Amino acid sequence: MVRTMLSAAFVAATLTVPVQAQDLGNIIGGVARQYLSQEQDRAAFAQAQERNTIRGYQSYLQQFPSGLYARQARDGIERLGGSSASRADPYAGTGDTSGLSRDQRITVQRRLNALGYGTNGTDGNFGAGTRRAIALWQRDRSYTQTGSLTTAQANEILRGTAPRSNSSQATATGLGPADAEADLGLGRSQKAAIQAGLTRRGYDTRGIDGAFGQGTRNAIASWQRANGMQATGYLTAAQADSLMR
């Protein structure tokens, strides 16, 4: 299918005159990125369907609020007895009780990014990306996953609490780092997206093939070490999510 899409892009590009080599590369690259995004979307929704729980569908919507299967995910939540808002951002309208200033909000975003929870910007505005990052941070600390900070939670982040490591996650779940990553159920397309994310950040995975070999493990460990995390070479859910975005 990828070959078909790339071929179609090539034909369309060559029919327009003139087309520079760089322009053609941009067209093909754009098609490839679109296909990868769609595959990640499909894989995430398939995982939600397999779990068939309210939390599973909510997790899909947090990753893809306007995804290909957003409507089906909301229908699944309502079918299971949950409440699904029609808005694109599941956390829109949630109020913070933390009373943070703009500078403090920027600091919170920077700390979340340093911990491996991507906020999609550090501008002091808590948009959809920051809400998702907060929710993932809350989930990994067994807080209620609201996407909105309490005063105590905001202070915990502002104090620069050390990131939750894979070993502490293993203590909570009874799993070692390798087993905890395996429990995430990452598909081949998701693993390829993670490898692409590492490569973009300057960590060589020795290929983007959707298989986590020694090159990928070394790249993960280097990325973890550079970001103040325990360098296990295995990913937590928050770390995988950060690298895929």
Side-chain angles (χ1 to χ4, degrees):
M1 182 176 181
V2 175
R3 184 178 299 173
T4 302
M5 295 177 67
L6 295 179
S7 299
F10 178 81
V11 171
T14 54
L15 290 177
T16 59
V17 181
V19 176
Q20 301 296 326
Q22 182 177 359
D23 294 335
L24 181 58
N26 290 339
I27 292 171
I28 295 175
V31 172
R33 285 191 295 272
Q34 181 181 8
Y35 175 76
L36 179 59
S37 177
Q38 290 175 349
E39 284 301 296
Q40 293 171 3
D41 191 331
R42 290 190 184 95
F45 184 67
Q47 189 175 44
Q49 280 187 310
E50 184 177 351
R51 293 178 179 176
N52 196 32
T53 61
I54 292 175
R55 184 171 181 178
Y57 288 121
Q58 287 175 335
S59 178
Y60 167 80
L61 288 172
Q62 289 162 19
Q63 297 176 66
F64 301 95
S66 301
L68 298 171
Y69 309 98
R71 168 48 57 190
Q72 292 95 314
R74 294 189 181 97
D75 289 343
I77 292 172
E78 293 173 357
R79 174 172 48 80
L80 293 168
S83 175
S84 175
S86 60
R87 54 181 176 263
D89 178 10
Y91 301 114
T94 55
D96 287 309
T97 58
S98 52
L100 296 173
S101 67
R102 184 175 181 276
D103 287 344
Q104 287 175 317
R105 286 173 173 248
I106 291 174
T107 301
V108 165
Q109 289 173 320
R110 288 175 176 169
R111 292 278 168 81
L112 285 170
N113 281 303
L115 292 171
Y117 304 97
T119 62
N120 290 342
T122 55
D123 56 3
N125 296 318
F126 281 12
T130 301
R131 298 293 181 193
R132 284 192 294 272
I134 290 172
L136 290 170
W137 178 87
Q138 290 170 326
R139 180 196 64 189
D140 288 348
R141 283 156 179 77
S142 300
Y143 295 132
T144 302
Q145 198 172 334
T146 65
S148 178
L149 292 171
T150 65
T151 299
Q153 291 169 1
N155 288 336
E156 183 177 343
I157 295 174
L158 289 169
R159 284 196 302 267
T161 305
R164 184 183 179 98
S165 67
N166 280 35
S167 61
S168 60
Q169 183 185 33
T171 301
T173 63
L175 300 175
D179 291 331
E181 182 189 272
D183 196 48
L184 300 178
L186 295 172
R188 192 177 187 86
S189 62
Q190 291 172 306
K191 289 183 176 181
I194 288 169
Q195 290 173 320
L198 285 164
T199 301
R200 284 195 303 272
R201 291 165 172 80
Y203 302 95
D204 185 11
T205 61
R206 306 288 179 86
I208 301 176
D209 56 4
F212 281 8
Q214 192 57 50
T216 301
R217 294 299 174 195
N218 291 341
I220 290 172
S222 296
W223 174 77
Q224 289 171 326
R225 190 179 301 109
N227 287 277
M229 308 169 193
Q230 186 179 16
T232 64
Y234 294 90
L235 296 169
T236 65
Q239 291 166 1
D241 183 74
S242 177
L243 288 169
M244 282 191 285
R245 282 205 295 268

